[in-house]
C-alpha cells in the first residue's frame, strides 16, 4: 500500500503540477521495486495523453546503504550498487571523500586530493591519522584514480587504462576495491564534492 502511495503521488505531481524531477531523501531505505515502479509510471506519461513527457522527468536520491538495510538485510533496496540500468540517479559520496577527505563517518580533518594531503599535511602532533609521506603519496594517487573515474561518469564498465598501482585495463567497478563507479548510464550518477551533509570544499 505504501508503494502505491509513493507511485501515485509521483505521477500526480508530474501530471497536475508539472514537477519535472524527484529527489528522494534516504532513497536507499525504499525497496528497489518501488523506485522502479515510479520510474515505469513516469516513463509511461506522454505529452499527447498527459501533457508530460515522462521520459524527461528526473528521478534521483540518496542511495546510502547503512543501518537496518545494510548488506541486503531488508531485501533489495534502492542503494547505489543496485541502481545500474534503472534510469534512477544517486549521489556519489565516494568522489566527495576522495576530493575533500574526511566524511561524516570519520575525522573531518583528514585531507583529500584537493585539501592538502601530502602537499600541506597536518603537523605530526595534530593527531590526524593520515600516515607518513609514503602512505599519503599512495592515498593521493588512489584519490586521483577515483576522481578520474567520476569524470568518466562513474560508469561501472569504463576501463581505466592503468591505475596508480599499475593494474591495466581494469573495469571501473573494480578499481581500488570498487564503490566509486556503479552506474550504467551517465544520468544515473550525481558526482559532487560539497553538499549540505558535509563541510564546504574549503
Amino acid at each position: 500500500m505504501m508503494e502505491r502511495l509513493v507511485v501515485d503521488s509521483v505521477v500526480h505531481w508530474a501530471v497536475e503540477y508539472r514537477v519535472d524531477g524527484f529527489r528522494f531523501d534516504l532513497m536507499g531505505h525504499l525497496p528497489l521495486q518501488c523506485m522502479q515502479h515510479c520510474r515505469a509510471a513516469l516513463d509511461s506519461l506522454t505529452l499527447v495523453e498527459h501533457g508530460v513527457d515522462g521520459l524527461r522527468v528526473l528521478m534521483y536520491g540518496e542511495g546510502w546503504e547503512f543501518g537496518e538495510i545494510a548488506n541486503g538485510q531488508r531485501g533489495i533496496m534502492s542503494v547505489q550498487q543496485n541502481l545500474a540500468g534503472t534510469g534512477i540517479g544517486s549521489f556519489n559520496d565516494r568522489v566527495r571523500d576522495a576530493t575533500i577527505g574526511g566524511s561524516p563517518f570519520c575525522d573531518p580533518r583528514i585531507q583529500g586530493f584537493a585539501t592538502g594531503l601530502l602537499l600541506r599535511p597536518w603537523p605530526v602532533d595534530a593527531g590526524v591519522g593520515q600516515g607518513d609521506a609514503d602512505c599519503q603519496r599512495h592515498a593521493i594517487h588512489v584519490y586521483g584514480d577515483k576522481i578520474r573515474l567520476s569524470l568518466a561518469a562513474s560508469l561501472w564498465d569504463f576501463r581505466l587504462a592503468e591505475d596508480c598501482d599499475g593494474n591495466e585495463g581494469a573495469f571501473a567497478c573494480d578499481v581500488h576495491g570498487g564503490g566509486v563507479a556503479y552506474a550504467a548510464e551517465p544520468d544515473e550518477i550525481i558526482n559532487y564534492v560539497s553538499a549540505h551533509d558535509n563541510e564546504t570544499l574549503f
Side-chain angles (χ1 to χ4, degrees):
M1 200 62 184
M2 188 64 199
E3 178 183 307
R4 181 172 177 182
L5 175 64
V6 174
V7 174
D8 288 352
S9 296
V10 165
V11 170
H12 177 74
W13 291 326
V15 172
E16 299 300 328
Y17 298 101
R18 300 299 192 257
V19 174
D20 61 1
F22 295 91
R23 179 202 186 278
F24 292 82
D25 198 56
L26 297 180
M27 180 178 70
H29 282 67
L30 290 170
L32 181 59
Q33 175 181 292
C34 176
M35 295 302 292
Q36 288 176 310
H37 287 164
C38 286
R39 180 74 267 167
L42 288 171
D43 290 350
S44 71
L45 302 177
T46 66
L47 282 171
V48 173
E49 188 176 347
H50 308 97
V52 174
D53 181 359
L55 294 171
R56 296 178 60 91
V57 177
L58 299 176
M59 277 185 61
Y60 63 98
E62 298 173 335
W64 318 141
E65 180 180 16
F66 67 95
E68 70 275 6
I69 64 158
N71 303 313
Q73 295 177 85
R74 298 284 172 108
I76 301 172
M77 307 303 276
S78 302
V79 296
Q80 292 167 328
Q81 68 268 21
N82 293 336
L83 295 174
T86 64
I88 301 165
S90 68
F91 294 97
N92 187 349
D93 55 328
R94 273 61 169 231
V95 70
R96 172 202 64 196
D97 296 347
T99 304
I100 64 174
S103 82
F105 310 105
C106 69
D107 187 341
R109 298 175 299 162
I110 291 176
Q111 296 167 299
F113 189 89
T115 55
L117 183 66
L118 180 64
L119 305 174
R120 257 185 101 191
W122 285 96
V124 175
D125 61 353
V128 181
Q130 298 185 133
D132 61 16
D134 288 337
C135 289
Q136 291 185 42
R137 183 172 293 105
H138 183 257
I140 202 166
H141 288 292
V142 169
Y143 292 164
D145 284 347
K146 291 180 177 186
I147 293 167
R148 287 194 299 155
L149 294 175
S150 73
L151 293 173
S154 297
L155 299 174
W156 70 270
D157 62 351
F158 174 78
R159 284 189 181 265
L160 196 58
E162 183 177 356
D163 70 16
C164 69
D165 294 327
N167 300 308
E168 297 181 1
F171 278 112
C173 62
D174 298 325
V175 173
H176 300 299
V180 174
Y182 55 85
E185 297 293 335
D187 64 352
E188 295 174 348
I189 199 79
I190 300 169
N191 288 315
Y192 72 100
V193 295
S194 180
H196 71 90
D197 66 338
N198 210 344
E199 295 180 13
T200 57
L201 184 56
F202 292 102

